[in-house]
Amino acid sequence: MEKIKSTTVVAIRHNGEVVIGADGQATLGNTVAKSSVKKIRVLQGGKIITGFAGSTADAFTLLEKFEEKLNSFGNNMKRAAVELAKEWRMDRMLSRLEAMMIVADKDDILIISGTGDVIEPDMEIATIGSGSMFAQSAARALKKFAPQLSAEEMVRESLHIAADVCIYTNHNLVVEKVKS
């Protein structure tokens, strides 16, 4: 049986703002299973925002684990991300999970993968999912050539551009801003 997968997530830090957005499409094979999935979660009263791509059930498991790590390490996002990545890579059950996460607070944007990677992306832009390279290209161009835009405007436009060219990404966006 095929897994339900979720697709494009973008995080951008620009002019002191950190914003994460995602489209709403979940795909089962080559069929849209749902067009309004919420792939963004607000944690710690908005001080930390997460976004996920990949198998939806797997992503929710990882989100729960990430929240546990945050609680264990005094809401230190970077430490929680590293500890989650280590456990994800080494635990037999977790190592089978097929998802990726972006986590962000006012200071950092991180990509967490099941191979044990915790990546601080270049240009303060993180993207994951099927449409990630389209969204990343758009976000990089917007940061470079349209710096007058807000982080939220860049996230929204990057996702819309990805949705225009990626069949696994739609225009039903959820966008959240990290609270300082």
Side-chain angles (χ1 to χ4, degrees):
M1 177 159 199
E2 293 186 72
K3 290 185 179 184
I4 294 177
K5 295 196 174 188
S6 303
T7 49
T8 308
V9 182
V10 179
I12 297 175
R13 177 189 316 286
H14 183 68
N15 291 338
E17 292 182 324
V18 179
V19 177
I20 298 182
D23 75 305
Q25 186 164 301
T27 311
L28 182 59
N30 60 1
T31 304
V32 175
K34 185 171 177 166
S35 63
S36 59
V37 176
K38 188 172 183 224
K39 302 171 196 173
I40 304 296
R41 295 291 182 264
V42 176
L43 307 175
Q44 308 299 321
K47 292 182 180 177
I48 297 174
I49 311 279
T50 66
F52 63 84
S55 171
T56 305
D58 292 355
F60 284 124
T61 300
L62 292 169
L63 180 62
E64 288 174 12
K65 284 285 186 187
F66 180 67
E67 284 187 283
E68 287 174 17
K69 298 295 182 192
L70 276 174
N71 292 331
S72 295
F73 296 103
N75 297 327
N76 181 328
M77 187 189 77
K78 214 175 228 185
R79 176 81 189 273
V82 169
E83 294 302 322
L84 173 63
K86 287 192 318 194
E87 184 177 349
W88 188 355
R89 185 171 48 91
M90 298 171 79
D91 182 274
R92 290 187 86 159
M93 192 266 309
L94 291 179
S95 67
R96 294 185 180 146
L97 299 181
E98 297 177 10
M100 291 183 78
M101 292 177 66
I102 294 176
V103 298
D105 64 12
K106 65 181 180 59
D107 299 316
D108 296 295
I109 298 174
L110 304 171
I111 299 171
I112 309 171
S113 79
T115 56
D117 294 318
V118 177
I119 300 165
E120 289 186 74
D122 291 336
M123 294 184 66
E124 298 182 309
I125 298 168
T127 62
I128 57 175
S130 301
S132 65
M133 291 301 104
F134 303 117
Q136 184 177 46
S137 297
R140 290 175 74 116
L142 290 168
K143 272 194 110 169
K144 185 173 183 179
F145 297 109
Q148 74 280 5
L149 296 177
S150 69
E152 181 175 342
E153 290 169 320
M154 289 180 182
V155 165
R156 286 183 183 281
E157 190 58 29
S158 297
L159 285 165
H160 282 302
I161 289 168
D164 287 343
V165 293
C166 177
I167 62 170
Y168 298 107
T169 305
N170 71 16
H171 291 278
N172 295 338
L173 308 183
V174 173
V175 177
E176 295 285 349
K177 182 179 171 183
V178 172
K179 293 181 182 171
S180 298

